């Protein structure tokens, strides 16, 4: 099994998971959910450590360029998120009226999580800090390393990075295919997700096409800037895409995204800095999904849709969702307040949004993390580096 590459193992895990979910042998599925619960909690515990371990040394290694590149990366990531949401608005404004029925929605407004199995036991592993705190601490430590002449903090953070890399290499990567199998087995077994998919299949088809279009746009820009073939760059990111489909977490996919970005020739220091950062702040795929699903729900319920209202919603999404990059489905949870205050969604419509978003959360996450590689290539060029050819 280890002789297979990561991508074949992930695909195999996905297929096995669907088959086991169809078979529906509950004791085995609950055993898989027990592992997934423990592994998922472990991921939540190490995500802040991953962010600090990579972002702080990455900023420090960039020296005096750190502040400038931090600002550039943030602007590129936020800009990409806003452009993605705006394109989603324009596309859905043109297409949804033609494909959706005019009657009110017919989906039961209860969460698809009701049909999901749980594990036999739960082992709580609360993280030492939340993601935002980890990001702020990484920024402060990284800038301190870059500004202060001393080496004590720099050496300490380099050792933390080494420890985190060992955790990723020896624990996270080997167990990812099994985790993916559990996710798809449970989704297949639940059944309610399939029901929602059947009703909103056309909407989801638009979302997937938009995801692919945005990725092509991002890598066309990145490839043009760096003088590389966009399709070749995008192809190298396939393992990150499929890992995200299984984990449903941008932050949990950081190890694979980081590795594939370096395979594309991005400078190691730039990659170590931009990928963990973008996992938290670059949410183009999630924005496309939330904008598309919310517009579909609003049209089905006869609610008014205006560009000014939706654009304000998109601007706030790019900021609000930063709070939940490591939690599967966390983006829609973070957006519930905006759905209520800016779009007028009551509790029932919020429940419907949760159901719709969770049904295809993994594809939005896959778009997010794959796009992170394009942002990293752009920053690499702006920082004055060329893409390095890998043997």
């Amino acid at each position: 099994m280890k002789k297979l590459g990561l991508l074949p193992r992930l695909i195999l895990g996905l297929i096995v998971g669907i088959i086991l979910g169809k078979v529906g042998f509950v004791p085995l599925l609950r055993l898989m959910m027990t592992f997934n619960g423990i592994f998922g909690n472990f991921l939540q515990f190490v995500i802040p450590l991953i962010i600090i371990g990579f972002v702080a040394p990455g900023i420090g290694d960039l020296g005096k360029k750190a502040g400038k590149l931090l600002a550039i990366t943030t602007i590129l990531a936020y800009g990409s998120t806003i452009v993605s949401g705006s394109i989603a608005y324009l596309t859905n404004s043109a297409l949804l009226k033609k494909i959706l029925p005019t009657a009110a929605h017919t989906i039961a407004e209860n969460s698809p999580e009701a049909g999901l199995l749980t594990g036999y036991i739960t082992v709580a592993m609360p993280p030492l800090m939340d993601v935002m705190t980890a990001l702020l601490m990484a920024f402060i430590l990284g800038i301190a390393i870059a500004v202060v002449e001393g080496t004590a903090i720099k050496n300490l953070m380099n050792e933390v990075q080494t420890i985190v890399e060992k955790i990723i290499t020896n624990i996270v990567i080997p167990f990812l295919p099994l985790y993916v199998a559990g996710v798809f087995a449970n989704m297949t077994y639940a059944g309610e997700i399939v029901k929602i998919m059947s009703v909103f299949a056309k909407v989801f088809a638009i979302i997937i096409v938009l995801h692919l279009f945005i990725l092509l746009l991002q890598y066309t820009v990145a490839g043009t800037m760096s003088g590389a073939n966009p399709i070749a760059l995008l192809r190298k990111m396939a393992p990150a895409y499929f890992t995200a489909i299984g984990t449903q977490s941008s932050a949990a996919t950081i190890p694979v995204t980081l590795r594939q970005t370096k395979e594309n020739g991005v400078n190691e220091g730039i990659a170590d800095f931009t990928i963990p950062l973008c996992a938290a702040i670059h949410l183009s795929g999630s924005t496309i999904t939330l904008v598309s699903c919310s517009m579909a729900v609003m049209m089905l319920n006869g609610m008014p849709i205006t560009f000014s209202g939706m654009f304000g919603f998109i601007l706030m999404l790019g900021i609000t969702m930063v709070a939940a990059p490591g939690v599967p489905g966390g983006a829609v949870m973070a957006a519930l307040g905006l759905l209520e205050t800016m779009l007028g969604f009551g509790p029932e419509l919020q429940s419907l949004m949760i159901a719709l978003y969770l049904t295809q959360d993994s594809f939005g996450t896959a778009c997010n993390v794959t796009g992170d590689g394009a942002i990293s290539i752009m920053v690499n060029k702006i920082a004055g580096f060329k893409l390095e050819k890998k043997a």
Side-chain angles (χ1 to χ4, degrees), residues 45-68:
F45 178 81
V46 300
I47 282 167
L49 301 180
I50 290 174
I51 291 173
I52 293 175
F54 282 128
V55 174
I59 294 175
D61 289 341
L62 293 174
K64 294 181 180 179
K65 293 183 179 180
K68 178 182 177 181

Side-chain angles (χ1 to χ4, degrees), residues 102-352:
T102 56
H105 64 81
T106 57
I107 299 177
E109 295 172 337
N110 51 7
S111 171
E113 291 181 326
L116 296 175
L117 295 172
T118 58
Y120 290 110
I121 61 172
T122 300
V123 180
M125 302 179 194
L128 298 176
M129 64 192 78
D130 59 32
V131 170
M132 183 58 69
T133 302
L135 276 170
L136 291 173
M137 183 174 290
F139 293 160
I140 292 171
L141 290 173
I143 293 172
I145 294 170
V147 173
V148 178
E149 296 294 332
T151 60
I153 298 178
K154 182 176 181 179
N155 291 337
L156 173 62
M157 295 314 301
N158 286 337
E159 289 185 7
V160 171
Q161 183 179 34
T162 301
I163 294 170
V164 170
E165 287 176 347
K166 292 293 184 182
I167 293 173
I168 291 169
T169 303
N170 298 324
I171 299 176
V172 176
I173 294 287
F175 285 105
L176 270 178
L178 184 58
Y179 182 70
V180 168
V183 169
F184 275 86
N186 211 6
M187 289 176 65
T188 304
Y189 177 82
E192 180 67 19
I193 294 177
V194 176
K195 184 189 299 184
I196 296 172
M197 283 287 286
S198 65
V199 176
F200 270 73
K202 294 179 180 178
V203 178
F204 290 154
I206 293 175
I207 291 172
I208 297 301
V209 171
L210 283 171
H211 286 168
L212 296 176
F213 174 78
I214 287 299
L215 288 176
L216 284 171
L217 178 61
Q218 290 168 342
Y219 277 89
T220 297
V221 173
T224 301
M225 290 177 62
S226 62
N229 185 327
I231 302 301
L233 294 173
L234 187 54
R235 189 183 300 119
K236 280 274 181 70
M237 298 301 296
Y241 185 91
F242 284 98
T243 299
I245 287 177
T247 64
Q248 297 177 280
S249 168
S250 296
T253 313
I254 286 173
V256 182
T257 312
L258 185 61
R259 187 182 70 181
Q260 298 309 121
T261 300
K262 292 178 181 178
E263 283 293 317
N264 264 333
V266 174
N267 175 271
E268 288 201 6
I270 296 292
D272 288 344
F273 161 59
T274 56
I275 293 303
L277 176 59
C278 286
I281 66 174
H282 183 222
L283 298 144
S284 55
S286 297
T287 301
I288 287 172
T289 302
L290 284 168
V291 169
S292 300
C293 288
S294 62
M295 289 181 68
V297 170
M298 292 171 76
M299 286 187 181
L300 288 172
N301 285 274
M303 300 168 68
I305 301 175
T306 63
F307 175 75
S308 59
M310 288 304 300
F311 190 65
F313 176 65
I314 293 166
L315 291 176
M316 289 303 298
L317 275 179
I319 299 172
T320 305
M321 290 190 299
V322 171
V327 183
V332 69
M333 301 303 175
L336 289 179
L338 299 180
L339 289 169
E340 179 181 0
T341 58
M342 300 189 73
L343 300 185
F345 280 38
E348 291 183 346
L349 294 185
Q350 289 179 33
S351 298
L352 177 60

Side-chain angles (χ1 to χ4, degrees), residues 93-106:
S93 295
L95 296 181
L96 288 184
K97 290 181 180 179
K98 299 179 180 179
I99 66 173
L100 291 182
T102 56
H105 64 81
T106 57

